[in-house]
Amino acid sequence: MKSLFIAGNWKSNKTQKETKDWVRSFGALVPRIGSDAHMTVIICAPFTALSALKDAMVRENIQLLVGAQNISSRDAGAFTGEINGHQLKELADWVIIGHSERRTYQRETDEELSQKVAMAKAVSLGVIFCVPDAQTPIPQGVDVVAYEPVWAIGTGKTDTPKNANAVCSQIKERASGVRVIYGGSVTDENVLTFVRESSIDGVLPGGASLDPEKFHKLLVAAGE
Ligand code: PGA
């Protein structure tokens, strides 16, 4: 049985209070699920919720890992509003870089994204690097690549497992040694069809990670 990698992406959702409520509700669900040898489970939260998320996980004794959704491409210094790698490292184990929403709305370029990966690796953060296809450049040092077709994000439409598998396999040929996951409207109902495919190592659910019960159902379904 392959070991799965599942990262929930909360995007710009949840206050600190909502974060604590999520963790409490998730912790009360049975079976109790966390990261183990079979599954790495990460919640990628907004910067403002990272500390509350980390503390609440410790309090509830839940073994989920914490991820951020962005990192500054620069080191510490006069960069107003930026959060650098050293600051993140105190709060997170992982970071998402290159999500299509940031490529679109913040106009992040391939060059800037590779600087961000270098900054994350300099402080030993794990990197989940998002790409919309098999051709987009993948910087050195990335740990996990998430294939996310833009038209499937938040639309309720998914790529077919067969095509997603083909794209993930092409990505693996280009970036040897990385794990490759699929993202785009993943739910508890369709997750198994993706993770059953030989080249898909896990998933990156957005909407389905916001509700603790739905996310828990997704994890249970993925492990079947
Ligand atoms: P979605 O988002 O699951 O809501 O489609 C996935 C993502 O953007 O990472």
Side-chain angles (χ1 to χ4, degrees):
M1 197 173 138
K2 69 181 167 192
S3 142
L4 294 178
F5 187 97
I6 300 185
N9 176 11
W10 282 358
K11 308 192 179 186
S12 187
N13 291 292
K14 297 204 187 293
T15 61
Q16 294 201 3
K17 180 185 179 306
E18 288 165 345
T19 297
K20 288 176 207 158
D21 290 346
W22 188 102
V23 174
R24 211 171 298 118
S25 304
F26 185 85
L29 295 168
V30 180
R32 215 175 156 83
I33 295 188
S35 286
D36 59 23
H38 303 297
M39 218 187 261
T40 301
V41 189
I42 304 172
I43 292 295
C44 298
F47 292 136
T48 49
L50 290 176
S51 183
L53 179 60
K54 198 173 163 159
D55 291 351
M57 303 269 217
V58 171
R59 243 192 335 270
E60 300 286 330
N61 193 22
I62 298 174
Q63 316 295 324
L64 303 189
L65 298 171
V66 173
Q69 303 167 12
N70 182 32
I71 181 171
S72 175
S73 58
R74 299 167 192 270
D75 213 334
F79 305 109
T80 302
E82 291 294 321
I83 309 286
N84 69 57
H86 306 283
Q87 294 167 320
L88 271 189
K89 184 64 186 171
E90 291 182 331
L91 300 169
D93 314 289
W94 286 84
V95 59
I96 295 176
I97 296 178
H99 192 280
S100 68
E101 286 152 12
R102 296 197 59 84
R103 290 179 191 262
T104 303
Y105 302 126
Q106 272 69 40
R107 298 199 168 80
E108 290 186 338
T109 62
D110 292 336
E111 191 190 346
E112 187 181 2
L113 293 174
S114 81
Q115 286 163 2
K116 290 187 178 211
V117 171
M119 283 299 166
K121 295 321 295 177
V123 294
S124 304
L125 281 167
V127 173
I128 304 167
F129 191 79
C130 301
V131 295
D133 52 45
Q135 287 76 43
T136 298
I138 298 167
Q140 285 288 326
V142 164
D143 301 280
V144 174
V145 175
Y147 159 56
E148 298 204 299
V150 175
W151 52 265
I153 295 178
T155 58
K157 295 184 199 133
T158 63
D159 200 345
T160 61
K162 195 165 169 288
N163 190 62
N165 189 55
V167 175
C168 291
S169 156
Q170 287 170 42
I171 291 171
K172 282 186 173 173
E173 277 167 28
R174 281 183 50 216
S176 74
V178 297
R179 303 181 80 190
V180 186
I181 62 177
Y182 167 78
S185 298
V186 175
T187 64
D188 59 293
E189 284 171 17
N190 61 29
V191 64
L192 193 54
T193 64
F194 290 103
V195 300
R196 264 188 190 148
E197 296 287 340
S198 59
S199 292
I200 303 181
D201 298 315
V203 289
L204 181 55
S209 68
L210 292 173
D211 178 313
E213 283 182 32
K214 278 195 192 149
F215 189 62
H216 184 269
K217 261 187 165 174
L218 187 152
L219 297 177
V220 170
E224 275 171 10

